[in-house]
Amino acid sequence: MSSREKILAAVKANQPEELPLPDVPDFTGDGSLEKFTTILEGIGGKVVPIRGVTHLDVVIQELFPTDERVASTLMASTVLVDALTPIEVLAAVDVAVLRGEFGVAENGTIWLPEANMLNRALPMITQHLVLVLNHEDIVPTMHQAYAKLGSVGDYGIFLAGPSKTADIEQSLVIGAHGARSLTVLLV
Amino acid sequence: MSHSQRSDIFLLDAERTTWHDETLWFVRQKRDKAVYALPEFQDLRELASQIKNHTLSKLDFYLTQFEEAAKRNGVQVHWAADAAEHNTIVLGLIKKHGATRVVKSKSMLTEECHLNPHLIKHGVEVIDTDLGERIIQMREEAPSHVVLPAIHLKKEDVGDTFHIHLGTAKGNNDPQQLTEAARQHLREKFLAGEVAISGVNFAIAETGSVVVCTNEGNADLGVNLAKVHIACMGMEKLIPRLSDLSVFTRVLTRSATGQPVTTYTSHFTKPAPGKEMHIVIVDNGRTKQLGRPDFRASLKCIRCGACMNTCPVYRRSGGHSYDFTIPGPIGAILSPNIDMRKHASLPFASTLCGSCTDVCPVKIDIHTQLYKWRQVLAEEGEIPASKKWSMRLLSSVLSRPGVYGLGGKVARQGLRFLPHGLTHAKGYNPWAIARELPEPPKQSFREWYNQQQKNS
């Protein structure tokens, strides 16, 4: 008997009688932009309202004046990135400007599906991450978030702020391995 | 060595013990703040508990459903009956790709299976990429907490370690600068990684996806740069539906660190084109625990660490005093299932205050299970002789009122006249090591009661 069969047989023999699966109610809450912004800023994200995406390059230039290598789906890139981009090119990206699908007010998280990433590694390997988010696309809690998604696709991240750690004596340090900063541009 | 003997070592440094105690209590307070801000938190706990109970009651069905869905996604699924088989599978996959450089994100399961030593023995460089895990890997220590693996260390310790291994300046103990040094060091490892190993926080049966939660982004960075992703999971990580994930993502991090959610909640469903994804489903004693009605609820654990942060014993004895992959109250109910004799002292490392049960986000009756393990251990003869014989003596005294009365009288008189050094001798009265015995009363309650009856 293979391990698979052995394990499944042991599970079948040892599991208790079937217990009911509860329905998850649609707990809702404050889905306001204010709540989303407060929480996101509380976890180290920066929120900047902008008037539209037409002059995104100017905004990025103002926010990151010394960073030259920008990869984006929304504006002219100085580094072209796709799924096959070599690692050393990815590693040199200063700023990635990508579209966030929607935000969750209760925890400041933003859904970032693979389709918006250019390359799966880009949101982490870039030094700075900028997500452009429509200010109307905010849901109150994770219940509405997963309901809205329906499917998580091949790969996707709920992203809440910049990479961080508190592994040295519980001191919070922003910029562990992923992006050193997260800026959300609200359209 | 027993838990209390290992605790003695930790307690030698009183200042550090106090820091450890206060720091973890601070994390517990952050948890409270996050939890109290959510009016439906208790409803979510109940839902999380019921979802896990249900999943465990139909685990064969969900395991099969998950496997089928994952295979449809182009993911290869492997089954490991025990730690050795898990390690063989993982090493086999690495060897198949001719790889020698592996990056690993946090996984308590691979700690449990002692994967790293196995890989290293076979010529594979395996780098733990979570900062806390990397620190303890350099120091050749085990994690002392499931969420905060290096919580037993001070920044001076990390400064020394990085000075030796990363060449940072001696005496540089600044967390910001040390983290930056680790970032640079680990970037190189990430870029060179051929195979990435990750743990699994949740496995969704209906979609075949695995969900990994980190704050550092190390799992995503490692997996997305490597050619091969191996996700290792205990079979109890399953949840039925994507919608169930909303419940667990809401309770996990609030319970763990008081954050509203982890920075990265990543859903891996299909490998990127041209790459490979593998999932290793591990039993290693879990089916046995599933067959113990009193203890199966321990399999509901989502490894948030809240029971450790709140435990008055854990906070003052440190994670290493448990000498088990998962320390703290939850470790004390998981460990006897793995090796009853080796871990016999752990269910006694508790005051049974019940705080662990109160904070558990999936409502595991931890302190009840601790109490029940004590019964099992006593029946199996796995408690120390001193405990066994003193309990037997006590029981024979307590069941004989005459002997009990006489014993009390002797003790009341004895305590008055015997020298302090004798009544508080460490050798046979460990209770008095840090405590004073009370002033003996002139009479017992029984004597007083009889006197009242006579006088009335």
Side-chain angles (χ1 to χ4, degrees):
Chain A
M1 218 168 29
S2 72
S3 285
R4 180 186 182 277
E5 280 148 14
K6 250 192 292 187
I7 292 168
L8 286 172
V11 169
K12 212 177 165 72
N14 289 351
Q15 69 196 8
E17 275 194 33
E18 188 176 331
L19 294 160
L21 176 64
D23 288 324
V24 179
D26 190 34
F27 292 105
T28 190
D30 182 356
S32 68
L33 189 60
E34 292 70 37
K35 168 98 174 179
F36 173 77
T37 304
T38 310
I39 300 277
L40 182 56
E41 287 175 343
I43 53 179
K46 191 173 164 185
V47 180
V48 181
I50 56 167
R51 304 187 71 165
V53 291
T54 39
H55 299 294
L56 210 48
D57 49 342
V58 180
V59 178
I60 297 301
Q61 175 66 33
E62 269 173 29
L63 287 170
F64 303 95
T66 58
D67 293 308
E68 286 164 9
R69 291 180 294 267
V70 180
S72 180
T73 51
L74 303 164
M75 54 177 271
S77 299
T78 47
V79 189
L80 290 177
V81 172
D82 63 22
L84 301 173
T85 302
I87 286 177
E88 50 282 10
V89 177
L90 287 173
V93 173
D94 297 316
V95 185
V97 184
L98 308 172
R99 177 172 287 286
E101 284 296 306
F102 62 88
V104 185
E106 69 158 327
N107 55 21
T109 192
I110 295 167
W111 176 245
L112 183 61
E114 182 177 17
N116 299 12
M117 292 181 192
L118 289 173
N119 181 298
R120 283 191 184 196
L122 183 63
M124 276 66 61
I125 203 165
T126 180
Q127 296 294 329
H128 301 279
L129 179 62
V130 177
L131 294 179
V132 178
L133 185 69
N134 191 330
H135 74 281
E136 283 172 342
D137 292 335
I138 308 283
V139 298
T141 74
M142 292 307 284
H143 305 293
Q144 290 81 43
Y146 280 111
K148 192 178 165 95
L149 277 182
S151 160
V152 288
D154 296 354
Y155 171 61
I157 312 173
F158 273 113
L159 192 84
S163 162
K164 57 171 156 312
T165 182
D167 274 343
I168 301 175
E169 240 187 54
Q170 279 294 290
S171 303
L172 180 70
V173 177
I174 302 283
H177 307 302
R180 292 177 190 274
S181 73
L182 173 71
T183 308
V184 175
L185 301 180
L186 278 177
V187 186
Chain B
M1 266 203 288
S2 69
H3 172 270
S4 61
Q5 285 164 329
R6 286 187 297 265
S7 306
D8 284 345
I9 301 167
F10 183 78
L11 290 166
L12 287 173
D13 189 339
E15 209 175 306
R16 184 175 292 229
T17 308
T18 306
W19 180 85
H20 191 267
D21 178 20
E22 287 172 353
T23 303
L24 288 160
W25 185 248
F26 180 65
V27 180
R28 157 74 211 258
Q29 287 173 316
K30 285 200 292 183
R31 172 259 176 210
D32 288 350
K33 220 176 136 197
V35 159
Y36 297 158
L38 213 62
E40 62 268 37
F41 189 78
Q42 294 305 328
D43 296 328
L44 292 170
R45 278 181 82 209
E46 183 57 34
L47 280 166
S49 169
Q50 285 184 22
I51 293 167
K52 281 285 182 182
N53 280 335
H54 165 80
T55 313
L56 290 174
S57 77
K58 269 182 77 169
L59 194 57
D60 64 331
F61 170 78
Y62 286 121
L63 282 167
T64 316
Q65 191 192 21
F66 175 73
E67 182 192 35
E68 281 169 14
K71 281 182 168 170
R72 271 200 305 275
N73 294 333
V75 176
Q76 296 175 49
V77 181
H78 312 261
W79 299 74
D82 53 27
E85 191 174 10
H86 164 266
N87 294 348
T88 305
I89 291 168
V90 174
L91 180 66
L93 290 170
I94 295 167
K95 291 280 174 201
K96 198 183 91 188
H97 288 272
T100 52
R101 296 185 304 270
V102 173
V103 287
K104 188 163 142 272
S105 63
K106 200 139 113 242
S107 151
M108 294 312 292
L109 176 72
T110 57
E111 292 286 341
E112 172 188 323
C113 295
H114 303 289
L115 176 67
N116 284 11
H118 184 74
L119 296 184
I120 291 163
K121 200 171 74 190
H122 290 88
V124 176
E125 180 198 65
V126 54
I127 301 290
D128 281 316
T129 57
D130 172 83
L131 177 59
E133 293 243 304
R134 185 70 189 119
I135 294 167
I136 57 169
Q137 188 183 30
M138 285 173 178
R139 299 172 61 92
E140 297 180 23
E141 290 176 356
S144 67
H145 189 289
V146 291
V147 175
L148 321 165
I151 193 67
H152 59 289
L153 298 172
K154 301 281 287 170
K155 59 185 180 201
E156 291 77 17
D157 303 320
V158 180
D160 291 346
T161 305
F162 280 13
H163 172 64
I164 296 165
H165 293 272
L166 300 182
T168 53
K170 197 166 172 59
N172 182 355
N173 302 328
D174 177 59
Q176 180 90 41
Q177 291 175 29
L178 294 174
T179 303
E180 182 60 30
R183 178 183 167 100
Q184 299 304 336
H185 156 71
L186 283 167
R187 277 252 152 174
E188 277 172 37
K189 301 293 179 188
F190 279 122
L191 298 182
E194 297 165 295
V195 172
I197 298 174
S198 79
V200 171
N201 288 90
F202 306 102
I204 307 161
E206 67 175 4
T207 67
S209 316
V210 296
V211 178
V212 181
C213 305
T214 74
N215 278 326
E216 300 180 9
N218 55 318
D220 295 89
L221 193 51
V223 167
N224 293 327
L225 290 176
K227 286 179 296 195
V228 182
H229 174 195
I230 307 173
C232 303
M233 58 176 268
M235 51 195 263
E236 79 283 17
K237 295 290 172 189
L238 280 167
I239 54 173
R241 308 161 297 196
L242 185 63
S243 57
D244 299 322
L245 199 52
S246 62
V247 176
F248 291 98
T249 51
R250 297 190 79 193
V251 298
L252 173 66
T253 326
R254 287 183 170 98
S255 299
T257 59
Q259 292 170 258
V261 70
T262 46
T263 306
Y264 300 84
T265 304
S266 306
H267 309 65
F268 297 91
T269 307
K270 288 185 189 172
K275 295 192 175 185
E276 274 184 30
M277 180 172 164
H278 299 262
I279 297 173
V280 188
I281 301 173
V282 183
D283 179 348
N284 204 32
R286 286 164 177 76
T287 49
K288 200 166 111 196
Q289 189 85 322
L290 188 64
R292 299 180 191 264
D294 283 345
F295 304 113
R296 69 164 61 103
S298 62
L299 295 171
K300 290 156 72 181
C301 177
I302 57 172
R303 306 286 190 266
C304 71
C307 61
M308 294 161 209
N309 304 340
T310 200
C311 178
V313 176
Y314 173 88
R315 280 187 279 118
R316 294 172 179 83
S317 63
H320 290 156
S321 65
Y322 291 80
D323 195 24
F324 184 66
T325 313
I326 311 282
I330 182 69
I333 59 175
L334 290 171
S335 55
N337 177 58
I338 304 288
D339 186 338
M340 205 183 284
R341 175 156 298 171
K342 183 175 177 208
H343 304 294
S345 69
L346 297 192
F348 295 90
S350 165
T351 63
L352 300 183
C353 71
S355 186
C356 45
T357 306
D358 287 343
V359 297
C360 177
V362 291
K363 291 197 168 182
I364 302 171
D365 53 339
I366 305 176
H367 75 296
T368 310
Q369 292 192 37
L370 286 166
Y371 176 69
K372 285 178 177 167
W373 268 120
R374 294 181 186 186
Q375 321 296 309
V376 174
L377 290 162
E379 274 161 29
E380 302 278 333
E382 297 293 358
I383 58 174
S386 61
K387 192 164 271 166
K388 192 159 94 186
W389 290 108
S390 60
M391 285 297 156
R392 240 174 236 188
L393 180 68
L394 198 64
S395 126
S396 72
V397 171
L398 291 176
S399 58
R400 292 182 185 83
V403 179
Y404 177 74
L406 182 67
K409 201 169 279 180
V410 170
R412 281 192 300 281
Q413 296 303 319
L415 280 175
R416 232 182 289 274
F417 300 115
L418 290 171
H420 185 272
L422 196 61
T423 56
H424 289 67
K426 284 179 192 176
Y428 64 87
N429 190 4
W431 190 89
I433 289 172
R435 301 181 185 92
E436 275 300 311
L437 289 168
E439 278 291 310
K442 291 206 169 62
Q443 53 183 182
S444 70
F445 174 76
R446 190 153 43 164
E447 288 165 350
W448 174 85
Y449 185 79
N450 287 336
Q451 202 179 356
Q452 298 299 310
Q453 293 293 318
K454 248 182 257 167
N455 294 350
S456 62

